[in-house]
Each structure stands twice: as structure tokens, then as C-alpha cells.
Amino acid sequence: MATLVQAEAAAPRGLDLVAMAKEAGVTALIALVLTAPLIGIRTVEQSGSLGFETDFTAVAIAVALVFVGRIGIILNREGIARPVLWLSLLFLVVFPLPVIYELLRSGFTLFGVQVPLDLPPLPVLDFHSIPLLVIGTLGSMWLALQALLVQRRHRSSLSRQERDRAMDKIGAKVQRATVFVGPILVLLAVVFPFTDLATRATLGVATIVLIYIMLGWGLNIIVGLAGLLDLGYVAFYAVGAYSYALLSTTFGLSFWICLPLAGVFAACFGLILGYPVLRLRGDYFAIVTLGFGEIIRIILINWAPVTGGPNGINNIPRPSFFGFPFDRSPPEGQTAFHQLFGLEYSPTHRIVFLYLLILALALLVNFISTRLRRLPLGRAWEAIREDDIACQSLGINRTNLKLAAFATSAMCGGFAGSFFATYQGFISPESFSFIESAIILAIVVLGGMGSQLGIVVAACLIIGLPEAFRGLDLYRMLVFGLCMVGIMVWRPRGLLAHRDPTILLNRKKGASS
């Protein structure tokens, strides 16, 4: 009977061309309505005033891609997957060719030597056609994978349970590989600033990504381990930044003294927030933490005599290498750091030092959170996350455990805020808005709550990719939003959400009874 059902599913039904054209046409019409104002019309500066120009060729290409893609989805749904597979593979070859040609035309580096290629530019390839080619490549890849699925399982999509099982298997393999992948990634991160890829721009992007990785690992203690939804984590970030800025500018304390103090102050604020709101649960708890973050931001704006108000605090001192600053002294033209190691002065050395500093701080936060998870405290956090009421019935003091989670997580946020203040040299309340909390929480959720490596991957995707494609300012946030929606639809638990229990109740095979 099962064989008969599979044979009926595999056999293509009669194809209704009119219904297929109607469905694809409606989809293309929706694409036209959405892409016409986003792609076809853009504002430009014309003689000191603001005007607009149109580019409906890109709109037509986008609508055509949507129409053809919908036809492919319908054919896969009807079981006619072989022509879709071959056409998708053909498009996978055709779409990337103009981009590769343009990259080769601009030249490449061979063994450290720039090799220019004297090739004519393509008239059809301009700045705004590159995103369409990328979207076409991704769509062709999706159709090809869907066609392969139809040929193997006689259906065009997997159920949610099958997707979860497949992703859990991938997450489990990644988690087991973390033992080997983690040290390799750390080694690559340490070596990176000493390679040819390390420029001021790439080091700046890498430093910002590491700040958000550190914040994600800190928030993961509350959200991933203790299971508490905190929407005001940026408040601890702000407390750490302003603590360092005020202590260094007012009392002249060095970075190495202000860093632990900023963490202590942020932990105290975590206790102040945690104690009165721990009786709340779910959405009510999240709303209160959101309000706490806004209260901190409003205080920073209105308490102008201390915080500088909307103008913020500038001229924040830079960190030194254990008392050897990077500031140049006029007589010799050298810094104390360069004189100590006998190096020739280069402004890049300070940027490399800041990068290695945030890398060390991020690894410290990772070590703290990983070790805490294996301790009885971390096991109790996981128990509270799974069943709060059962933990209370077992005599576990939920209040103290949740306060410990808040204080530890807030301390990590304070460390990150302290480094952010010294890295920027200027802070203001605008840097600590609600969108920062949303981005940090998105990193934790996208990577998979409780997954340390998942947070690294998510931070690189959310922070690193938009920075890398900042030149495509018209499309990068649109593509970013589409990717986030797709992840929430197909993988709501996160990319690497698989978590093995800290303690296994059953014993291994062969263990003595």
C-alpha cells in the first residue's frame, strides 16, 4: 500500500497551464508592487536639492526572476522536477559569471603581487544589478535543492519535524566538533592581525564583531542557560561604558583598574533589576526589563551634569599596555610601547592591541560561562529553564539562582561596555538604544540559545556581513531582513540550537552497576 501511494505521488499529475500562469502572474504582480518603490525609484541629490531617478529595468528583471522562480516551484510541486533541476544548475553557472568577470577585471593578487587584467567592462553590469544576480543565484540554488528533494522523497518540502531532526543532527555534529574547531578558530583569530588581510577597516569590523560576540555570550547566561527573556541588556552595556568613562576622565584611573570596577557596577545594577522582577514570568518579565533599559537611557540623557546629557562624554583615555601608552612623545616621536619593544612607530599597532584585547576579554567571558554551566550553579540554571515549578518543589532557591544569573550576565555586559568606551573614545546615549538590545538578543536566538559557537556564527552574519557589504546600502538591510525572516520561519530554534544535557542520567554501556 505504501509503495502504491509513493508511486502515485511520484507520477506527475495533469499540469494545468492556465492555473500555473495565473499563480505565477499573481506572485509577479506582488513582486512588482514591492520592488517598484524599493528598487525602481531612488532619491539623488540634484543641484543642492533632493530629486529622484528611476531604474525600472532592474524592476523588470526582479519581476521576471520571481515569475520564473514561481514556475519552478509549481513544477516541483507537481512532480516535474528534472527540467527544473537542469535549468537551476544552468542558472547557477550563468548568474555568478558577470560578478566573477568584474572581479577579474578589477585585478587580483598573486603571491603578494597585484595582477591587473585588461578586460573591457560589461555594459549590462552596474552597481545595482549585482544584488539581483546574487538573489538569482540563491533562488536557483533553492530550486535545485527542492528538485533533488522531489526526486529523492517525491515531495517538494520537508515537514517541520524532519527539518528539526536534520538541523539537530547538524547541530550535534557541530557541537561535538567544537572541541577541535574552537581552538582552531581562536588560533586563526590570534594570527589574523599579523596577516596581509589585516587593514584598519578589517580590524575595525573584526573588533566590533568581537564586542557583539562578547555581549552575546554574556546575554546567553540569562537567556540560554537560565531561560529568562531579557530585553534590556543594553542597560548593563551602558553602565559599564559610562562607569569607565567617568572614572577615567574624572579620577584619572587607568583602564586596567576601571575594567573590573565597571563589571562590579554593572553586576550591582543587575542585582537591582533582578530582585524586584523575579516574581514575574514570560512577557511581563520581558516588558519590565525593556522598561529598565529605557530608564537607564533616559537617565543618561537627563542627568547632564554627570553624564554629559545628549552630548555624551568625549576624550576618553585609551588603554595602555600595562602602563606603556601608545601616545607619541614629541621629543623622540616614539611611544613608550614602541620604545619598550624597539619597534618602529605605526598607528596600526594600537588597533592591533585593541583587537587582541577584546579577543582576550571575549575568551574570558566564554571561559566563565562554559565553566559555570558545568558547575552545580549552571546545572541549576538549566533546571530552572526547563521547569521552574519543579525546581521550586525540589527546594531549589530560585531567587538566588536567578540573581546570580543576572549579576554574572550583567558583569559580562559591563566588561564589554568598558571596552566599547575606550575603543570609541566617545560615548553618548544614542549608542545604547533599544535596537542594540534587539540585535544582541537576535544574535543569541539566531545562533541557538545555549550554543557558544552558534553565537559566533550569528554575530558574524548579523554584524560582519552588513559591514562587509556597506557599499550596497540600498539593499543590504533588505536582504538582512529577508534572511532573518527566513531563519525564523524555517529554523525558529536557531542555527545551532542542539544542546546535549550537562549530566546524563543513564550510564554508559559497560559501566559497573
Side-chain angles (χ1 to χ4, degrees):
M1 185 65 182
T3 305
L4 180 61
V5 172
Q6 290 181 358
E8 292 178 354
R13 300 185 295 270
L15 190 61
D16 191 347
L17 297 179
V18 176
M20 181 177 65
K22 181 179 179 180
E23 182 178 347
V26 171
T27 307
L29 180 61
I30 296 174
L32 175 64
V33 174
L34 293 176
T35 56
L38 294 175
I39 300 178
I41 302 174
R42 54 182 177 270
T43 58
V44 293
E45 186 177 354
Q46 297 177 348
S47 302
S49 61
L50 191 63
F52 67 92
E53 61 181 16
T54 59
D55 185 11
F56 291 109
T57 303
V59 176
I61 295 175
V63 173
L65 290 176
V66 171
F67 183 84
V68 174
R70 192 63 186 182
I71 292 292
I73 293 175
I74 296 172
L75 292 177
N76 282 332
R77 188 178 63 199
E78 296 296 328
I80 311 175
R82 191 176 296 275
V84 177
L85 176 61
W86 288 113
L87 287 177
S88 299
L89 294 177
L90 177 62
F91 288 145
L92 275 176
V93 176
V94 172
F95 282 137
L97 285 180
V99 180
I100 296 174
Y101 180 87
E102 186 66 20
L103 292 176
L104 292 176
R105 193 180 69 85
S106 61
F108 61 95
T109 302
L110 182 62
F111 299 109
V113 180
Q114 186 72 17
V115 180
L117 296 179
D118 188 13
L119 298 175
L122 290 177
V124 296
L125 184 64
D126 59 359
F127 177 77
H128 301 285
S129 62
I130 294 178
L132 295 178
L133 293 174
V134 174
I135 293 175
T137 303
L138 295 177
S140 301
M141 188 182 302
W142 171 257
L143 287 176
L145 293 176
Q146 195 179 56
L148 289 174
L149 182 64
V150 171
Q151 290 188 340
R152 290 189 59 184
R153 302 200 180 190
H154 311 295
R155 48 198 170 97
S156 59
S157 61
L158 295 175
S159 64
R160 182 174 180 180
Q161 291 78 10
E162 289 175 330
R163 289 200 307 267
D164 288 342
R165 284 197 297 267
M167 292 301 295
D168 282 340
K169 289 180 180 178
I170 296 175
K173 292 180 180 178
V174 171
Q175 185 174 354
R176 288 192 293 268
T178 305
V179 181
F180 309 99
V181 175
I184 295 175
L185 292 179
V186 172
L187 180 61
L188 292 177
V190 173
V191 174
F192 168 71
F194 307 103
T195 61
D196 294 336
L197 298 175
T199 61
R200 294 180 68 94
T202 56
L203 284 173
V205 173
T207 303
I208 297 298
V209 170
L210 284 173
I211 292 175
Y212 279 93
I213 289 175
M214 184 175 176
L215 290 170
W217 281 339
L219 181 60
N220 193 41
I221 296 176
I222 293 181
V223 178
L225 296 183
L228 304 173
L229 182 58
D230 186 1
L231 296 180
Y233 191 68
V234 73
F236 310 130
Y237 187 37
V239 169
Y242 272 86
S243 298
Y244 170 74
L246 293 174
L247 290 174
S248 60
T249 56
T250 305
F251 301 102
L253 300 180
S254 67
F255 172 80
W256 304 104
I257 298 177
C258 296
L259 178 66
L261 292 178
V264 171
F265 290 151
C268 292
F269 272 84
L271 295 176
I272 294 173
L273 169 64
Y275 188 76
V277 303
L278 289 181
R279 294 181 180 272
L280 301 175
R281 297 180 183 176
D283 298 338
Y284 303 101
F285 180 87
I287 292 172
V288 171
T289 56
L290 171 62
F292 179 77
E294 288 300 302
I295 288 172
I296 294 296
R297 188 179 65 86
I298 292 173
I299 290 176
L300 296 177
I301 294 176
N302 295 327
W303 201 7
V306 176
T307 63
N311 297 325
I313 303 175
N314 55 11
N315 297 325
I316 300 174
R318 304 288 187 176
S320 62
F321 183 78
F322 299 100
F324 295 93
F326 288 84
D327 299 329
R328 300 185 69 175
S329 55
E332 297 82 6
Q334 283 282 78
T335 68
F337 172 81
H338 291 85
Q339 291 178 356
L340 175 66
F341 292 99
L343 300 175
E344 185 179 354
Y345 174 77
S346 173
T348 310
H349 291 164
R350 181 179 61 85
I351 302 174
V352 172
F353 171 70
L354 291 174
Y355 168 82
L356 295 176
L357 178 59
I358 186 59
L359 177 61
L361 291 176
L363 293 177
L364 175 63
V365 171
N366 179 48
F367 176 78
I368 291 174
S369 59
T370 303
R371 293 297 299 172
L372 284 178
R373 182 183 175 184
R374 296 189 178 98
L375 294 176
L377 177 64
R379 299 169 189 168
W381 285 340
E382 290 182 330
I384 291 176
R385 179 194 65 206
E386 299 300 330
D387 197 328
D388 197 350
I389 298 176
C391 291
Q392 185 179 10
S393 65
L394 292 174
I396 297 177
N397 193 330
R398 299 180 303 166
T399 302
N400 291 345
L401 290 174
K402 292 181 179 179
L403 286 177
F406 261 98
T408 307
S409 179
M411 180 183 65
C412 298
F415 290 157
S418 178
F419 176 83
F420 175 77
T422 190
Y423 175 72
Q424 294 287 111
F426 167 78
I427 56 173
S428 67
E430 295 180 356
S431 301
F432 309 102
S433 59
F434 167 71
I435 190 63
E436 294 297 321
S437 288
I439 291 175
I440 301 169
L441 183 61
I443 290 173
V444 176
V445 175
L446 177 62
M449 291 186 293
S451 175
Q452 301 290 86
L453 185 60
I455 290 175
V456 176
V457 175
C460 294
L461 293 176
I462 295 179
I463 306 300
L465 282 184
E467 289 294 331
F469 294 97
R470 181 169 288 276
L472 303 175
D473 54 347
L474 295 177
Y475 304 100
R476 68 187 186 99
M477 295 309 295
L478 176 63
V479 174
F480 169 74
L482 291 175
C483 293
M484 289 296 295
V485 172
I487 288 295
M488 292 300 104
V489 171
W490 289 302
R491 186 57 177 167
R493 291 173 54 195
L495 294 174
L496 303 174
H498 177 81
R499 292 192 305 266
D500 288 332
T502 304
I503 295 180
L504 296 176
L505 296 181
N506 58 326
R507 300 186 179 185
K508 296 182 180 180
K509 293 181 180 181
S512 59
S513 59

